[in-house]
Amino acid sequence: MNDVSAPPARRPLTLRDVSEASGVSEMTVSRVLRNRGDVSDATRAKVQEAARALGYVPNKIAGALASNRVNLVAVIIPSMSNMVFPEVMGGISSVLEETELQPVVGITDYLPEKEEKVLYEMLSWRPSGVIIAGLEHTEAARAMLRNSGIPVVEIMDTDGNPTDCAVGISHRRAGREMGEAILEAGYRRIGFMGTKMALDHRARKRYEGFVEALAKGGIELADWEFYEGGSALAKGRELTAAMLERTPDLDFLYYSNDLIGAGGLLYCTEKGMDIPGSFGMAGFNGVELLRGLPVTLATIDSCRREIGRTAADMIVARMEGATSSEVVTLTPKLQPGDTMRLSAP
């Protein structure tokens, strides 16, 4: 049997290593790496080059012990597979990259108990702020957010009472506006397709606003379907085929998101349906990826990147001394695309 020795353990680099490599004192190295004190440009460049060549990373835990905070912003979202949240993260990162703050992400899978656990773990690292999706949380999570002593920004939704700051859209309003537009375009036999809504509160609010608008117009949903699992083109095709077989006289289908809507659109296009003449379709979110389709699905943009940027701006403002809580409600626009008439025939 070959005797394979374990590689020697590597000790972590220290300020002394950088000091010896750059030829300046440990105190000067510390000042340069913390961007503190009066250090000449030449010395600063020498220290930074030595640290970069060695691969030295400062131990910010030590500094955090004094300040009781690390330069991290906890970002807690339901999913990264959903196309919505990567764009939100892009907005957050575009702001924070201009500061010393760094986002660190936790995923909840839309599960309140998992959100509570993720929040607990992230707060234990004493971040400088929290950005968290939604306004609905467990009582324990609410208590942690309320008593964290740091800026908290709840994102995506403003239909409710935020813990501190919030930025998003009114999902009830988005649902109402879509319902009103569908009725104004003359559609009357309307179906709805969306996720099971016990945990997806924002989808539930859009549905409530949508049904409210139809009711005011004297219309009831002709058919509806609530599904479990992620959103995908295949699911949209499958569910659309089943609903149209079950209720063939529908003249409009409203989907809770663009992905299943795009799947439905592909199915209806293959079947040669008259879109948007005798049959209309719409989704939600304004996913840019789908703009490459031959036919553009009607939708409402959920202002994802702007939400991310605004949330990060709020965190930075609070770090710089702002004290007031703020709620920003953005106004998305309905985009009729190619699948929705602009007026009644």
Side-chain angles (χ1 to χ4, degrees):
M1 178 180 295
N2 294 330
D3 181 17
V4 180
S5 300
R10 295 182 180 179
R11 66 174 179 83
L13 294 170
T14 66
L15 286 178
R16 176 175 293 181
D17 296 305
V18 182
S19 170
E20 291 175 353
S22 61
V24 303
S25 70
E26 289 183 40
M27 182 174 293
T28 300
V29 170
S30 177
R31 286 173 179 166
V32 170
L33 296 180
R34 292 186 296 115
N35 199 27
R36 299 285 190 273
D38 185 15
V39 181
S40 71
D41 290 343
T43 299
R44 186 177 300 278
K46 186 188 299 184
V47 171
Q48 290 172 339
E49 178 57 32
R52 187 180 300 111
L54 288 171
Y56 175 76
V57 178
N59 180 0
K60 292 194 173 182
I61 295 289
L65 293 176
S67 65
N68 203 33
R69 290 283 174 260
V70 294
N71 288 338
L72 299 176
V73 175
V75 181
I76 302 174
I77 54 178
S79 169
M80 280 295 280
S81 59
N82 186 325
M83 290 184 182
V84 171
F85 292 103
E87 289 192 49
V88 175
M89 286 303 306
I92 293 171
S93 297
S94 70
V95 172
L96 295 187
E97 67 186 9
E98 303 297 326
T99 74
E100 294 185 349
L101 299 171
Q102 290 289 332
V104 57
V105 181
I107 306 297
T108 69
D109 297 320
Y110 292 93
L111 300 173
E113 298 79 9
K114 188 171 182 180
E115 178 187 82
E116 185 181 310
K117 181 180 179 181
V118 169
L119 178 62
Y120 178 89
E121 292 296 330
M122 286 194 160
L123 288 178
S124 73
W125 286 96
R126 298 299 187 264
S128 294
V130 174
I131 297 173
I132 186 168
L135 298 171
E136 289 78 17
H137 316 286
T138 67
E139 286 303 315
R142 281 185 176 280
M144 285 189 280
L145 291 170
R146 192 168 50 246
N147 298 311
S148 63
I150 58 176
V152 173
V153 182
E154 289 160 293
I155 60 171
M156 310 309 292
D157 188 9
T158 58
D159 290 321
N161 299 312
T163 303
D164 184 5
C165 297
V167 55
I169 68 169
S170 167
H171 286 265
R172 286 196 176 92
R173 177 179 172 182
R176 284 197 302 270
E177 289 185 354
M178 181 59 78
E180 290 165 357
I182 291 169
L183 294 181
E184 186 176 342
Y187 299 105
R188 291 296 180 268
R189 293 287 293 168
I190 301 163
F192 175 85
M193 200 170 293
T195 59
K196 286 187 180 293
M197 298 176 183
L199 299 178
D200 191 344
H201 299 286
R202 294 176 291 284
R204 171 180 55 79
K205 292 170 185 178
R206 289 197 302 278
Y207 173 75
E208 290 170 352
F210 180 66
V211 172
E212 176 187 326
L214 297 188
K216 285 185 177 179
I219 299 294
E220 293 184 359
L221 280 177
D223 201 348
W224 58 91
E225 182 77 35
F226 301 106
Y227 65 89
E228 291 182 311
S231 302
L233 295 176
K235 189 180 293 289
R237 293 174 66 101
E238 173 191 341
L239 296 177
T240 299
M243 184 173 288
L244 289 177
E245 182 176 351
R246 185 170 64 232
T247 314
D249 64 340
L250 291 180
D251 63 10
F252 201 96
L253 258 176
Y254 177 42
Y255 301 82
S256 68
N257 66 71
D258 286 345
L259 275 185
I260 58 167
L265 173 58
L266 291 173
Y267 172 81
C268 293
T269 301
E270 290 174 3
K271 293 298 181 182
M273 298 177 68
D274 176 22
I275 302 172
S278 60
F279 189 81
M281 315 175 77
F284 176 80
N285 270 323
V287 175
E288 290 191 17
L289 179 66
L290 300 181
R291 293 180 185 175
L293 292 176
V295 178
T296 303
L297 182 70
T299 189
I300 290 182
D301 180 14
S302 56
C303 306
R304 299 172 299 284
R305 192 171 182 87
E306 189 176 357
I307 287 172
R309 288 189 58 85
T310 304
D313 282 334
M314 288 175 167
I315 294 290
V316 172
R318 292 289 288 275
M319 295 291 294
E320 293 176 347
T323 57
S324 61
S325 298
E326 188 178 9
V327 176
V328 175
T329 300
L330 302 174
T331 304
K333 293 182 179 179
L334 190 150
Q335 303 164 5
D338 302 317
T339 64
M340 186 174 180
R341 294 192 302 251
L342 298 179
S343 60

